[in-house]
Amino acid sequence: MEQNFVIRNCGLEQLDEIIDMERETIEILPQPDMLRRNSLEMWRCCLQPPHRCTGVWVGEKMVAFAVLYIPLEGSEEDLSPLLLHSVDTPSANYKICIVRPEWRGNHLQVLLGRCLEDEARRRGIRVLCSTASPKNEASIRSLLQLGYSYDQTLEKYGFERNLYYKML
Ligand SMILES: CC(C)(COP(=O)(O)OP(=O)(O)OC[C@H]1O[C@@H](n2cnc3c(N)ncnc32)[C@H](O)[C@@H]1OP(=O)(O)O)[C@@H](O)C(=O)NCCC(=O)NCCS
């Protein structure tokens, strides 16, 4: 069915809705280690500059969102130093994407990934990093469709994660 998806940036006014979507998503995960729960502090951070959270709305309802996260160099969130394919250029993370269950199947992770990529390019970022659980086939397919390359499988956030990168 053709849908009227509206893309808008999110701010702190979306905090409650986003936490609600995260809770709803975690409750129905096929495997509990597929997604880590973010702290309230992390969500507040993601919803404010320099980070960028972009959402998709259908009417009044936000049905999906994703985050471009600009890590502080050397912080635990900085994925680029972990890359086997070493890079020495400004990087950021395609950190998280959640699509409400009833709206999956519309490639919204790819759509949001493209928007956030454009934003990253505008900021002079040349590498995007992302992780996905090896069990998360939908997320892996989306990252590959966005043109990310697989780097390695490692332990991150206490879970097994595939690390991906994309040169912009
Ligand atoms: C991962 C997620 C964001 C993808 O949502 P989406 O953009 O609607 O993805 P789609 O359903 O359009 O699927 C993308 C691709 O994966 C495939 N896919 C979807 N679910 C799948 C599954 N369970 N097994 C295998 N392939 C699957 C789709 O067929 C599609 O492939 P195609 O392009 O070849 O047709 C969504 O599933 C989600 O919110 N999951 C929970 C949160 C999460 O894991 N986020 C990602 C990590 S941050």
Side-chain angles (χ1 to χ4, degrees), residues 68-71 80 83 85-94 116-130 146-149 164-168:
L68 175 71
Y69 187 89
I70 318 290
S80 63
L83 291 171
H85 176 102
S86 85
V87 292
D88 183 20
T89 183
S91 72
N93 301 347
Y94 186 14
L116 293 174
E117 253 175 58
D118 289 344
E119 177 62 23
R121 273 193 204 93
R122 281 194 287 274
R123 296 180 186 205
I125 290 162
R126 292 288 165 260
V127 187
L128 286 178
C129 299
S130 196
L146 282 164
Y148 281 74
S149 302
Y164 295 87
Y165 68 96
K166 177 175 179 173
M167 309 298 295
L168 298 181

Side-chain angles (χ1 to χ4, degrees), residues 25 29 34-35 95-100 103-110 131 136-139 141-142 145:
T25 298
L29 280 179
M34 279 170 70
L35 201 67
K95 185 174 167 64
I96 189 165
C97 177
I98 289 182
V99 179
R100 286 192 191 273
W103 293 97
R104 292 182 191 163
N106 292 292
H107 296 106
L108 293 180
Q109 184 174 6
V110 172
T131 60
N136 200 337
E137 293 183 53
S139 190
R141 286 187 77 88
S142 298
Q145 284 175 23

